[in-house]
Amino acid sequence: HCYLFWIDQRSFPTMKFLVFVVASISSLQQSCWCFSTARASFAGVNRFSSSTTTSFLLNAIGSSKDDNTIINGAAINGVTGEPTTKKKVIVFGGDGFCGWPTALYLSDQGHDIVIADNLSRRNIDIELGCDSLTPIQTPDVRIQAWKEVSGKDIKFVNLDIAKEYDLLVQLLKEEKPDSVIHFAEQRAAPYSMKTSKTKRYTVDNNVGGSNNLCCAVTDAEMDIHIVHLGTMGVYGYGSSGGEIPEGYIDVTLPDGRAKNILHPAYPGSVYHTTKCLDALLWQFYQKNDNLRITDLHQGIVWGTNTPQTIKDERLVNRFDYDGDYGTVLNRFLMQGAMGVPLTVYGTGGQTRAFIHITDTAKCLELAILNPPEKGERVKIFNQVAETRRVRDIAQMVALQTGVEVKFIPNPRAEAAENELDVSNKNFCTLGLEPKLLDAALFDEVTTVVNRFKHRCNPTKILPASFWNKARAEECKSIDPKSIQIKVTATA
């Protein structure tokens, strides 16, 4: 094994050299050589504290592992179970549905986590008059609870990356993260189509925040890996006639030349359009400023809690059930648990990609542990477990809960039927074994719903955002007050 690392001045102020450790491990011999050179700086070299360096040397000399994992005893890869390099990570949008469980998961694996969030999603709850079905605590209470159950610290910073640029740059310089995870975007397609105000807000917040983040990393003059949570919706939901590759597609130009290009964008809402614009920003800043960027095209997330969020009631993740923010499978599971007919839009022939919330967190760790090299093009992963047709999922939930399936006019301007074949080889190659749709996992969600169904506002279940005037006209028959919850319903 050959290991190269930088001795940090802060840990060893009198030592300014590189140490090369070559450890030849076999049943016959063990040997170690150290050489010093003038002080130098290398991109991608890991920084270790004094205690970690000592542990590292002992592991390097004494290990008999036949892999390429750097062993420092500081963190564990949650997918493979192998020791791995501890990362300093800022999670932008870390108070949200995906951000919060991801932050806890990364902390649990031994990484050093800072959450930055402007709490805009909580403000939208007030705007819509619809709280999370689960009673989520304030960031301070959540972080204190995590400290009590895990012994680990998470720092929280109230920051709007789309508006507070100077504070964003300052945060990067102070925290010196290895990676930043960018969840800090308005994430609901229906909300982005609700009014001209929400359309403009979605564009300003999402695209402005992404551009600010790239500028801030550049201005901070730091080699920070940006990991962005995108969406499968950038590809569109037409019938492409083949498997959707991971970000890039092989094409033949009119002159016969073969080229591998960014997959064409075909967004279906203002929200999805912002993700397409993000993708172009990543391409530009990688080319222009040599930034290291990973873009994750995620499917529809389902599930609520993770092994970390169930450790204490104060850590519970949010659960959205309304027509704007409730994802389709979570909405179905909530409706089934409450004895409410499952509302399928249109024919239900829309095929979508899905992923469980626990796998979202695992994918984010795999992304930060496998960054692109300096100068490498934007890495793109399809973050999905499987694809299913919406009406088929409705039937699965109906069979489990005994409720009926009700087809209602579609508030969205989209194809009534579509196929979707998606490649997810990149994450699977890194060791991910994704959770598939399963009745046992459904039970976890329905248990949560049954416990907190008294918090549900039934008038918020049906769709309240329409893609255009024609869709609104067709959906005039939808009456939000028609939903009646069966109090005696069980999972």
Side-chain angles (χ1 to χ4, degrees):
H1 298 266
C2 180
Y3 300 91
L4 169 63
F5 60 95
W6 172 255
I7 299 295
D8 196 326
Q9 280 182 260
R10 293 168 297 181
S11 302
F12 298 89
T14 62
M15 300 170 66
K16 298 180 179 179
F17 56 82
L18 285 171
V19 178
F20 294 81
V21 181
V22 181
S24 176
I25 309 298
S26 71
S27 59
L28 298 177
Q29 65 176 25
Q30 295 185 0
S31 54
C32 175
W33 297 268
C34 297
F35 303 93
S36 67
T37 72
R39 183 183 179 202
S41 176
F42 289 83
V45 175
N46 294 299
R47 294 182 180 270
F48 295 82
S49 66
S50 56
S51 61
T52 302
T53 302
T54 303
S55 173
F56 173 83
L57 288 169
L58 292 173
N59 277 307
I61 296 171
S63 174
S64 60
K65 291 182 66 63
D66 292 322
D67 58 39
N68 297 317
T69 304
I70 294 178
I71 302 174
N72 65 14
I76 297 294
N77 182 321
V79 173
T80 66
E82 297 288 339
T84 190
T85 305
K86 177 180 178 179
K87 299 282 188 178
K88 176 71 171 288
V89 184
I90 299 178
V91 182
F92 293 109
D95 185 56
F97 173 57
C98 292
W100 175 243
T102 298
L104 292 189
Y105 176 80
L106 294 176
S107 176
D108 207 25
Q109 302 312 123
H111 303 290
D112 187 2
I113 304 301
V114 176
I115 289 175
D117 200 300
N118 69 343
L119 307 182
S120 61
R121 181 63 190 90
R122 294 176 185 249
N123 293 330
I124 291 174
D125 278 344
I126 297 172
E127 174 192 338
L128 297 179
C130 184
D131 290 333
S132 163
L133 188 69
T134 50
I136 57 174
Q137 300 298 315
T138 64
D140 287 347
V141 171
R142 282 177 151 187
I143 288 170
Q144 178 59 34
W146 179 244
K147 172 70 172 177
E148 292 172 11
V149 301
S150 71
K152 298 176 180 179
D153 291 306
I154 292 178
K155 182 177 179 180
F156 175 77
V157 179
N158 192 320
L159 175 68
D160 187 335
I161 69 171
K163 295 179 179 179
E164 298 175 308
Y165 181 75
D166 291 343
L167 294 179
L168 172 59
V169 176
Q170 180 181 333
L171 179 67
L172 296 180
K173 289 182 176 180
E174 289 177 352
E175 297 297 339
K176 298 178 175 57
D178 299 295
S179 303
V180 296
I181 298 177
H182 182 20
F183 289 114
E185 296 186 287
Q186 194 290 107
R187 66 172 178 82
Y191 183 81
S192 79
M193 301 298 294
K194 198 173 192 68
T195 64
S196 59
K197 179 181 178 180
T198 62
K199 291 175 183 177
R200 298 190 335 268
Y201 166 72
T202 301
V203 172
D204 292 346
N205 181 79
N206 293 9
V207 181
S210 296
N211 187 58
N212 279 357
L213 183 56
C214 291
C215 291
V217 171
T218 303
D219 284 349
E221 297 182 327
M222 302 174 70
D223 181 22
I224 299 172
H225 175 209
I226 298 173
V227 181
H228 171 251
L229 191 73
T231 172
M232 282 296 300
V234 299
Y235 300 119
Y237 292 112
S239 295
S240 61
E243 182 183 68
I244 295 178
E246 303 201 61
Y248 301 96
I249 188 169
D250 293 323
V251 299
T252 302
L253 301 177
D255 63 0
R257 285 180 297 137
K259 196 171 181 64
N260 186 252
I261 66 170
L262 188 67
H263 194 287
Y266 195 60
S269 72
V270 169
Y271 158 75
H272 292 106
T273 301
T274 65
K275 296 293 189 176
C276 295
L277 295 172
D278 284 344
L280 294 178
L281 286 173
W282 309 140
Q283 294 292 323
F284 171 75
Y285 280 102
Q286 185 283 317
K287 178 184 69 173
N288 192 70
D289 296 291
N290 219 19
L291 299 190
R292 293 188 299 141
I293 302 172
T294 299
D295 198 10
L296 307 177
H297 293 167
Q298 181 168 256
I300 297 170
V301 183
W302 68 283
T304 306
N305 282 316
T306 66
Q308 291 73 40
T309 64
I310 62 173
K311 290 178 181 290
D312 189 290
E313 288 189 355
R314 295 167 293 174
L315 300 174
V316 68
N317 196 23
R318 70 175 300 119
F319 185 103
D320 297 308
Y321 63 90
D322 61 288
D324 282 334
Y325 276 89
T327 60
V328 60
L329 180 50
N330 275 5
R331 276 196 302 107
F332 285 167
L333 291 170
M334 184 277 300
Q335 290 171 324
M338 293 188 173
V340 175
L342 310 184
T343 49
V344 176
Y345 299 166
T347 67
Q350 309 92 333
T351 304
R352 297 291 183 263
F354 293 88
I355 186 169
H356 192 269
I357 187 66
T358 58
D359 285 336
T360 291
K362 290 180 179 180
C363 286
L364 265 297
E365 187 190 31
L366 288 174
I368 66 172
L369 293 178
N370 295 275
E373 298 293 334
K374 197 75 172 177
E376 183 181 346
R377 72 178 181 177
V378 177
K379 267 191 175 182
I380 301 178
F381 293 73
N382 289 339
Q383 191 166 304
V384 303
E386 62 181 320
T387 60
R388 292 290 186 98
R389 203 175 293 276
V390 171
R391 61 172 171 256
D392 295 339
I393 293 175
Q395 288 297 335
M396 289 177 64
V397 177
L399 287 174
Q400 184 184 15
T401 60
V403 302
E404 66 174 313
V405 176
K406 183 178 181 180
F407 294 86
I408 65 174
N410 193 345
R412 303 179 179 223
E414 62 184 1
E417 307 272 333
N418 75 280
E419 303 297 327
L420 187 63
D421 185 13
V422 182
S423 171
N424 65 348
K425 295 183 180 69
N426 285 340
F427 273 129
C428 292
T429 299
L430 292 175
L432 181 71
E433 296 180 359
K435 296 179 182 292
L436 303 181
L437 300 184
D438 177 82
L441 290 170
F442 288 179
D443 286 341
E444 177 262 322
V445 178
T446 53
T447 298
V448 170
V449 171
N450 277 319
R451 181 177 180 188
F452 296 111
K453 60 187 178 183
H454 63 279
R455 291 172 51 87
C456 174
N457 181 345
T459 66
K460 302 298 181 180
I461 292 176
L462 293 179
S465 298
F466 309 98
W467 261 232
N468 51 44
K469 290 181 180 179
R471 293 289 88 210
E473 183 65 25
E474 186 171 336
C475 294
K476 284 175 63 176
S477 61
I478 296 176
D479 180 10
K481 296 180 180 179
S482 65
I483 298 295
Q484 299 294 323
I485 294 176
K486 296 180 181 179
V487 178
T488 58
T490 58

PDB file of all heavy atoms in Angstrom, residues 157-176:
ATOM      1  N   VAL A 157     -26.660  27.031  10.856  1.00  0.00           N
ATOM      2  CA  VAL A 157     -26.522  28.425  10.461  1.00  0.00           C
ATOM      3  C   VAL A 157     -27.761  28.824   9.660  1.00  0.00           C
ATOM      4  O   VAL A 157     -28.127  28.138   8.698  1.00  0.00           O
ATOM      5  CB  VAL A 157     -25.270  28.642   9.585  1.00  0.00           C
ATOM      6  CG1 VAL A 157     -25.165  30.099   9.155  1.00  0.00           C
ATOM      7  CG2 VAL A 157     -24.016  28.204  10.329  1.00  0.00           C
ATOM      8  N   ASN A 158     -28.419  29.905  10.070  1.00  0.00           N
ATOM      9  CA  ASN A 158     -29.572  30.410   9.319  1.00  0.00           C
ATOM     10  C   ASN A 158     -29.051  31.292   8.190  1.00  0.00           C
ATOM     11  O   ASN A 158     -28.529  32.382   8.431  1.00  0.00           O
ATOM     12  CB  ASN A 158     -30.505  31.203  10.246  1.00  0.00           C
ATOM     13  CG  ASN A 158     -31.849  31.488   9.600  1.00  0.00           C
ATOM     14  OD1 ASN A 158     -31.931  31.798   8.404  1.00  0.00           O
ATOM     15  ND2 ASN A 158     -32.911  31.370  10.378  1.00  0.00           N
ATOM     16  N   LEU A 159     -29.179  30.808   6.957  1.00  0.00           N
ATOM     17  CA  LEU A 159     -28.566  31.484   5.823  1.00  0.00           C
ATOM     18  C   LEU A 159     -29.385  31.263   4.565  1.00  0.00           C
ATOM     19  O   LEU A 159     -29.827  30.145   4.287  1.00  0.00           O
ATOM     20  CB  LEU A 159     -27.143  30.948   5.607  1.00  0.00           C
ATOM     21  CG  LEU A 159     -26.385  31.461   4.388  1.00  0.00           C
ATOM     22  CD1 LEU A 159     -26.053  32.942   4.541  1.00  0.00           C
ATOM     23  CD2 LEU A 159     -25.109  30.647   4.177  1.00  0.00           C
ATOM     24  N   ASP A 160     -29.600  32.325   3.802  1.00  0.00           N
ATOM     25  CA  ASP A 160     -30.278  32.256   2.512  1.00  0.00           C
ATOM     26  C   ASP A 160     -29.216  32.403   1.428  1.00  0.00           C
ATOM     27  O   ASP A 160     -28.719  33.494   1.173  1.00  0.00           O
ATOM     28  CB  ASP A 160     -31.320  33.381   2.405  1.00  0.00           C
ATOM     29  CG  ASP A 160     -32.180  33.265   1.152  1.00  0.00           C
ATOM     30  OD1 ASP A 160     -31.720  32.669   0.158  1.00  0.00           O
ATOM     31  OD2 ASP A 160     -33.309  33.779   1.159  1.00  0.00           O
ATOM     32  N   ILE A 161     -28.859  31.303   0.773  1.00  0.00           N
ATOM     33  CA  ILE A 161     -27.752  31.368  -0.185  1.00  0.00           C
ATOM     34  C   ILE A 161     -28.127  32.121  -1.456  1.00  0.00           C
ATOM     35  O   ILE A 161     -27.247  32.551  -2.204  1.00  0.00           O
ATOM     36  CB  ILE A 161     -27.226  29.961  -0.539  1.00  0.00           C
ATOM     37  CG1 ILE A 161     -28.242  29.158  -1.354  1.00  0.00           C
ATOM     38  CG2 ILE A 161     -26.808  29.218   0.708  1.00  0.00           C
ATOM     39  CD1 ILE A 161     -27.675  27.863  -1.901  1.00  0.00           C
ATOM     40  N   ALA A 162     -29.423  32.314  -1.701  1.00  0.00           N
ATOM     41  CA  ALA A 162     -29.857  33.062  -2.891  1.00  0.00           C
ATOM     42  C   ALA A 162     -29.796  34.570  -2.666  1.00  0.00           C
ATOM     43  O   ALA A 162     -29.794  35.333  -3.639  1.00  0.00           O
ATOM     44  CB  ALA A 162     -31.272  32.654  -3.288  1.00  0.00           C
ATOM     45  N   LYS A 163     -29.727  34.998  -1.397  1.00  0.00           N
ATOM     46  CA  LYS A 163     -29.781  36.432  -1.095  1.00  0.00           C
ATOM     47  C   LYS A 163     -28.605  36.949  -0.273  1.00  0.00           C
ATOM     48  O   LYS A 163     -28.279  38.130  -0.344  1.00  0.00           O
ATOM     49  CB  LYS A 163     -31.083  36.754  -0.348  1.00  0.00           C
ATOM     50  CG  LYS A 163     -32.349  36.521  -1.168  1.00  0.00           C
ATOM     51  CD  LYS A 163     -33.590  36.847  -0.344  1.00  0.00           C
ATOM     52  CE  LYS A 163     -34.865  36.642  -1.157  1.00  0.00           C
ATOM     53  NZ  LYS A 163     -36.080  36.934  -0.347  1.00  0.00           N
ATOM     54  N   GLU A 164     -27.987  36.094   0.511  1.00  0.00           N
ATOM     55  CA  GLU A 164     -26.941  36.544   1.437  1.00  0.00           C
ATOM     56  C   GLU A 164     -25.568  36.059   0.968  1.00  0.00           C
ATOM     57  O   GLU A 164     -24.921  35.221   1.609  1.00  0.00           O
ATOM     58  CB  GLU A 164     -27.256  36.052   2.849  1.00  0.00           C
ATOM     59  CG  GLU A 164     -28.573  36.619   3.368  1.00  0.00           C
ATOM     60  CD  GLU A 164     -28.992  36.057   4.712  1.00  0.00           C
ATOM     61  OE1 GLU A 164     -29.033  34.818   4.866  1.00  0.00           O
ATOM     62  OE2 GLU A 164     -29.272  36.864   5.616  1.00  0.00           O
ATOM     63  N   TYR A 165     -25.143  36.623  -0.150  1.00  0.00           N
ATOM     64  CA  TYR A 165     -23.930  36.133  -0.798  1.00  0.00           C
ATOM     65  C   TYR A 165     -22.680  36.319   0.063  1.00  0.00           C
ATOM     66  O   TYR A 165     -21.867  35.386   0.205  1.00  0.00           O
ATOM     67  CB  TYR A 165     -23.725  36.838  -2.146  1.00  0.00           C
ATOM     68  CG  TYR A 165     -22.496  36.347  -2.872  1.00  0.00           C
ATOM     69  CD1 TYR A 165     -22.495  35.109  -3.502  1.00  0.00           C
ATOM     70  CD2 TYR A 165     -21.329  37.111  -2.893  1.00  0.00           C
ATOM     71  CE1 TYR A 165     -21.369  34.634  -4.146  1.00  0.00           C
ATOM     72  CE2 TYR A 165     -20.189  36.640  -3.526  1.00  0.00           C
ATOM     73  CZ  TYR A 165     -20.215  35.400  -4.158  1.00  0.00           C
ATOM     74  OH  TYR A 165     -19.095  34.928  -4.789  1.00  0.00           O
ATOM     75  N   ASP A 166     -22.503  37.474   0.639  1.00  0.00           N
ATOM     76  CA  ASP A 166     -21.304  37.729   1.440  1.00  0.00           C
ATOM     77  C   ASP A 166     -21.208  36.765   2.611  1.00  0.00           C
ATOM     78  O   ASP A 166     -20.111  36.285   2.959  1.00  0.00           O
ATOM     79  CB  ASP A 166     -21.286  39.176   1.943  1.00  0.00           C
ATOM     80  CG  ASP A 166     -21.069  40.179   0.825  1.00  0.00           C
ATOM     81  OD1 ASP A 166     -20.613  39.754  -0.261  1.00  0.00           O
ATOM     82  OD2 ASP A 166     -21.360  41.379   1.016  1.00  0.00           O
ATOM     83  N   LEU A 167     -22.346  36.470   3.241  1.00  0.00           N
ATOM     84  CA  LEU A 167     -22.350  35.527   4.358  1.00  0.00           C
ATOM     85  C   LEU A 167     -22.046  34.112   3.875  1.00  0.00           C
ATOM     86  O   LEU A 167     -21.431  33.315   4.601  1.00  0.00           O
ATOM     87  CB  LEU A 167     -23.706  35.558   5.072  1.00  0.00           C
ATOM     88  CG  LEU A 167     -24.058  36.863   5.790  1.00  0.00           C
ATOM     89  CD1 LEU A 167     -25.438  36.762   6.423  1.00  0.00           C
ATOM     90  CD2 LEU A 167     -23.003  37.200   6.849  1.00  0.00           C
ATOM     91  N   LEU A 168     -22.466  33.802   2.657  1.00  0.00           N
ATOM     92  CA  LEU A 168     -22.171  32.492   2.079  1.00  0.00           C
ATOM     93  C   LEU A 168     -20.667  32.319   1.880  1.00  0.00           C
ATOM     94  O   LEU A 168     -20.082  31.296   2.266  1.00  0.00           O
ATOM     95  CB  LEU A 168     -22.914  32.332   0.748  1.00  0.00           C
ATOM     96  CG  LEU A 168     -22.582  31.100  -0.093  1.00  0.00           C
ATOM     97  CD1 LEU A 168     -22.863  29.819   0.679  1.00  0.00           C
ATOM     98  CD2 LEU A 168     -23.381  31.131  -1.406  1.00  0.00           C
ATOM     99  N   VAL A 169     -20.029  33.319   1.297  1.00  0.00           N
ATOM    100  CA  VAL A 169     -18.578  33.259   1.097  1.00  0.00           C
ATOM    101  C   VAL A 169     -17.863  33.161   2.443  1.00  0.00           C
ATOM    102  O   VAL A 169     -16.926  32.371   2.615  1.00  0.00           O
ATOM    103  CB  VAL A 169     -18.084  34.491   0.321  1.00  0.00           C
ATOM    104  CG1 VAL A 169     -16.561  34.477   0.204  1.00  0.00           C
ATOM    105  CG2 VAL A 169     -18.707  34.547  -1.069  1.00  0.00           C
ATOM    106  N   GLN A 170     -18.323  33.948   3.410  1.00  0.00           N
ATOM    107  CA  GLN A 170     -17.721  33.930   4.743  1.00  0.00           C
ATOM    108  C   GLN A 170     -17.838  32.549   5.383  1.00  0.00           C
ATOM    109  O   GLN A 170     -16.888  32.054   6.002  1.00  0.00           O
ATOM    110  CB  GLN A 170     -18.391  34.974   5.630  1.00  0.00           C
ATOM    111  CG  GLN A 170     -17.839  35.053   7.048  1.00  0.00           C
ATOM    112  CD  GLN A 170     -18.578  36.097   7.889  1.00  0.00           C
ATOM    113  OE1 GLN A 170     -19.113  37.066   7.373  1.00  0.00           O
ATOM    114  NE2 GLN A 170     -18.606  35.876   9.193  1.00  0.00           N
ATOM    115  N   LEU A 171     -19.008  31.910   5.226  1.00  0.00           N
ATOM    116  CA  LEU A 171     -19.223  30.583   5.801  1.00  0.00           C
ATOM    117  C   LEU A 171     -18.248  29.576   5.202  1.00  0.00           C
ATOM    118  O   LEU A 171     -17.663  28.755   5.936  1.00  0.00           O
ATOM    119  CB  LEU A 171     -20.664  30.136   5.549  1.00  0.00           C
ATOM    120  CG  LEU A 171     -21.038  28.740   6.065  1.00  0.00           C
ATOM    121  CD1 LEU A 171     -20.999  28.717   7.593  1.00  0.00           C
ATOM    122  CD2 LEU A 171     -22.412  28.321   5.560  1.00  0.00           C
ATOM    123  N   LEU A 172     -18.063  29.625   3.899  1.00  0.00           N
ATOM    124  CA  LEU A 172     -17.132  28.691   3.254  1.00  0.00           C
ATOM    125  C   LEU A 172     -15.712  28.898   3.761  1.00  0.00           C
ATOM    126  O   LEU A 172     -14.988  27.932   4.038  1.00  0.00           O
ATOM    127  CB  LEU A 172     -17.180  28.863   1.737  1.00  0.00           C
ATOM    128  CG  LEU A 172     -18.506  28.533   1.032  1.00  0.00           C
ATOM    129  CD1 LEU A 172     -18.377  28.750  -0.474  1.00  0.00           C
ATOM    130  CD2 LEU A 172     -18.944  27.109   1.320  1.00  0.00           C
ATOM    131  N   LYS A 173     -15.305  30.152   3.896  1.00  0.00           N
ATOM    132  CA  LYS A 173     -13.948  30.435   4.362  1.00  0.00           C
ATOM    133  C   LYS A 173     -13.745  30.005   5.816  1.00  0.00           C
ATOM    134  O   LYS A 173     -12.666  29.528   6.189  1.00  0.00           O
ATOM    135  CB  LYS A 173     -13.649  31.925   4.214  1.00  0.00           C
ATOM    136  CG  LYS A 173     -13.483  32.378   2.761  1.00  0.00           C
ATOM    137  CD  LYS A 173     -13.148  33.869   2.694  1.00  0.00           C
ATOM    138  CE  LYS A 173     -12.884  34.303   1.262  1.00  0.00           C
ATOM    139  NZ  LYS A 173     -12.563  35.755   1.168  1.00  0.00           N
ATOM    140  N   GLU A 174     -14.781  30.172   6.638  1.00  0.00           N
ATOM    141  CA  GLU A 174     -14.653  29.810   8.049  1.00  0.00           C
ATOM    142  C   GLU A 174     -14.682  28.304   8.263  1.00  0.00           C
ATOM    143  O   GLU A 174     -13.915  27.768   9.070  1.00  0.00           O
ATOM    144  CB  GLU A 174     -15.774  30.472   8.855  1.00  0.00           C
ATOM    145  CG  GLU A 174     -15.632  31.988   8.996  1.00  0.00           C
ATOM    146  CD  GLU A 174     -16.813  32.599   9.744  1.00  0.00           C
ATOM    147  OE1 GLU A 174     -17.794  31.873  10.010  1.00  0.00           O
ATOM    148  OE2 GLU A 174     -16.746  33.806  10.060  1.00  0.00           O
ATOM    149  N   GLU A 175     -15.579  27.615   7.582  1.00  0.00           N
ATOM    150  CA  GLU A 175     -15.764  26.183   7.826  1.00  0.00           C
ATOM    151  C   GLU A 175     -14.806  25.313   7.019  1.00  0.00           C
ATOM    152  O   GLU A 175     -14.530  24.180   7.387  1.00  0.00           O
ATOM    153  CB  GLU A 175     -17.215  25.779   7.524  1.00  0.00           C
ATOM    154  CG  GLU A 175     -18.243  26.452   8.429  1.00  0.00           C
ATOM    155  CD  GLU A 175     -18.081  26.080   9.896  1.00  0.00           C
ATOM    156  OE1 GLU A 175     -17.469  25.020  10.195  1.00  0.00           O
ATOM    157  OE2 GLU A 175     -18.560  26.837  10.748  1.00  0.00           O
ATOM    158  N   LYS A 176     -14.339  25.803   5.869  1.00  0.00           N
ATOM    159  CA  LYS A 176     -13.396  25.062   5.016  1.00  0.00           C
ATOM    160  C   LYS A 176     -13.881  23.637   4.740  1.00  0.00           C
ATOM    161  O   LYS A 176     -13.179  22.650   5.028  1.00  0.00           O
ATOM    162  CB  LYS A 176     -12.011  25.034   5.663  1.00  0.00           C
ATOM    163  CG  LYS A 176     -11.382  26.417   5.840  1.00  0.00           C
ATOM    164  CD  LYS A 176     -10.024  26.323   6.521  1.00  0.00           C
ATOM    165  CE  LYS A 176      -9.339  27.684   6.579  1.00  0.00           C
ATOM    166  NZ  LYS A 176     -10.149  28.729   7.267  1.00  0.00           N
TER     167      LYS A 176
END
